Amino acid sequence: MGAYILRRLLLMIPTLLGIMLINFVLIQFVPGGPIETIIAQIESESSATDRISGGGSEVGGGAEGQYQGARGLPEDFIKDLEKQFGFDKPAYQRFYIMITNYLRFDFGESYFRSISVKDLILEKMPVSITLGLWSTLLAYMISIPLGIRKAVNDGSRFDTWSSGIIIAAYAIPGFLFAIMLMVFFAGGSYWKIFPLRGLTSEGFADFSTFGQIKDYLWHIILPVTAATIGAFATLTLLTKNSFLDEINKQYVTTARAKGLTENTVFYGHVFRNAMLIVIAGFPSAFVGVFFGSSLIIEIVFSLDGLGRLGFEAAVNRDYPVFFGTLYVFGLISLVIGLVSDLMYVWIDPRIDFESRET
């Protein structure tokens, strides 16, 4: 098993390198950049100043450089910007420097914020972990008992109407469900039971320990519920189908023929085999919620997490933040994938990934 883990860890390096390289190459073809953003801000401020002062300006007929706009800016100023952001070097050299630094977890500093990217990621990480972890736990707490009951009562009235509810829940987009929760329970048009934004209230640090826990849980109910809706539906059907598949196998028929009680057959034989795929899929389910719905939920509920941070970095062309969050997302995804495989072995020691590769 140690050799398999080592191979997986070594494979993470070229995989992560490929992810970063593809995105780095794509960025080179995207119009705009941090230098263009700064120039646009300067020209916008200059235009506003001219309007306020009532003065006018002549529009130059030609561009003096690659980044020049209608007003024109000194070439030395442009070169200073290029040097400041590292664009005075060729693309391959910039990529090499970036990857070398990232291997040491040195993500540099944000172009437009006076803070290092590492500190920025650590600051936003609790929000995304809150959404991913609590949503996954809630989905499992609901889906496993519901899926087992649906499997045991397959074809019953309960199975039919609960399947209808599950399919309807799966069909509702996460952002739409989040807006519905806000309208009904966050003071939109009906009740103002839960807060509208943020993970904590003002003066949170002054609360007692119990008060902080209560305030935190009060804030996360709506966003976690919105993030859970899709994962809950998928996991319930997965649990049901997994148990049905095991119940219909020959060894269950044999166990019943030997006179074993239904509880012994179900919890002594079926449960462990059926729960293998469900429990072992916990890490990947966490990653799915962590990445899939974090951006939408964070925007709707005004939460400042990694999803929103990466989106704003892409829009503002803040490349250190964009590539830093991409690197962290990719690394977490690869590590969780390995953890998921190890959970399969932990739950069922008969599985041996190492022997399957030979």
Side-chain angles (χ1 to χ4, degrees):
M1 194 62 187
Y4 170 77
I5 295 175
L6 180 60
R7 281 196 296 269
R8 285 292 300 271
L9 291 174
L10 292 176
L11 278 174
M12 289 181 186
I13 298 175
T15 303
L16 195 56
L17 181 64
I19 294 172
M20 300 300 294
L21 178 60
I22 291 173
N23 284 273
F24 184 84
V25 172
L26 292 175
I27 285 293
Q28 307 309 307
F29 298 98
V30 176
I35 296 179
E36 288 87 342
T37 301
I38 291 176
I39 291 175
Q41 292 175 353
I42 293 174
E43 293 179 345
S44 176
E45 292 172 0
S46 179
S47 298
T49 302
D50 288 345
R51 286 195 298 270
I52 293 173
S53 62
S57 64
E58 296 180 1
V59 178
E64 296 179 6
Q66 181 182 0
Y67 303 101
Q68 298 291 352
R71 292 179 177 273
L73 290 171
E75 188 174 349
D76 292 341
F77 176 75
I78 302 297
K79 289 182 178 179
D80 288 341
L81 284 179
E82 290 178 347
K83 187 175 182 179
Q84 178 183 347
F85 292 121
F87 290 107
D88 57 330
K89 301 179 180 66
Y92 71 88
Q93 190 173 352
R94 285 187 278 120
F95 179 76
Y96 174 78
I97 294 173
M98 181 183 73
I99 291 299
T100 303
N101 291 334
Y102 280 18
L103 291 176
R104 303 193 303 267
F105 290 93
D106 179 10
F107 304 125
E109 188 169 316
S110 169
Y111 285 160
F112 305 108
R113 309 187 192 196
S114 299
I115 184 174
S116 69
V117 177
K118 184 189 296 185
D119 292 339
L120 200 57
I121 291 175
L122 292 175
E123 179 185 326
K124 312 300 181 184
M125 184 76 77
V127 174
S128 297
I129 291 180
T130 291
L131 287 177
L133 187 60
W134 283 110
S135 299
T136 306
L137 289 174
L138 183 61
Y140 268 76
M141 290 171 60
I142 297 174
S143 301
I144 291 177
L146 181 58
I148 292 174
R149 185 176 177 185
K150 285 174 63 62
V152 173
N153 299 280
D154 183 44
S156 65
R157 181 177 297 179
F158 169 79
D159 181 42
T160 302
W161 67 257
S162 60
S163 294
I165 295 176
I166 291 170
I167 293 172
Y170 183 75
I172 300 176
F175 75 92
L176 180 59
F177 188 67
I179 294 174
M180 289 172 57
L181 290 176
M182 291 178 63
V183 170
F184 281 96
F185 302 108
S189 300
Y190 296 88
W191 304 281
K192 190 174 182 180
I193 302 175
F194 301 101
L196 187 60
R197 57 176 59 87
L199 281 183
T200 56
S201 302
E202 292 185 8
F204 178 80
D206 299 328
F207 295 169
S208 64
T209 302
F210 177 76
Q212 289 181 342
I213 295 174
K214 180 181 177 182
D215 183 73
Y216 169 74
L217 295 176
W218 183 47
H219 278 77
I220 68 172
I221 286 178
L222 292 188
V224 167
T225 302
T228 304
I229 189 72
F232 143 75
T234 305
L235 187 58
T236 301
L237 295 179
L238 174 64
T239 304
K240 175 191 174 183
N241 293 333
S242 179
F243 272 85
L244 279 179
D245 184 54
E246 291 297 325
I247 289 173
N248 294 325
K249 286 185 177 179
Q250 184 63 41
Y251 76 88
V252 176
T253 304
T254 303
R256 286 170 175 166
K258 290 181 178 180
L260 298 179
T261 64
E262 283 297 316
N263 283 339
T264 303
V265 172
F266 189 82
Y267 291 103
H269 299 276
V270 174
F271 188 83
R272 178 178 179 179
N273 294 329
M275 287 299 293
L276 172 64
I277 189 173
V278 179
I279 296 178
F282 181 88
S284 57
F286 169 73
V287 170
V289 177
F290 186 81
F291 294 131
S293 59
S294 60
L295 172 60
I296 297 174
I297 302 302
E298 286 171 16
I299 291 176
V300 172
F301 290 99
S302 300
L303 300 174
D304 204 6
L306 286 180
R308 187 174 179 180
L309 175 65
F311 173 75
E312 291 178 350
V315 172
N316 297 328
R317 304 295 194 269
D318 196 345
Y319 293 152
V321 177
F322 174 77
F323 283 112
T325 54
L326 178 66
Y327 185 85
V328 171
F329 278 153
L331 184 60
I332 290 176
S333 180
L334 293 172
V335 171
I336 291 295
L338 175 59
V339 172
S340 181
D341 287 347
L342 295 179
M343 287 192 69
Y344 276 105
V345 179
W346 176 64
I347 295 172
D348 190 350
R350 294 172 299 176
I351 298 177
D352 188 354
F353 288 106
E354 193 166 347
S355 62
R356 290 175 61 184
E357 291 186 354
T358 57

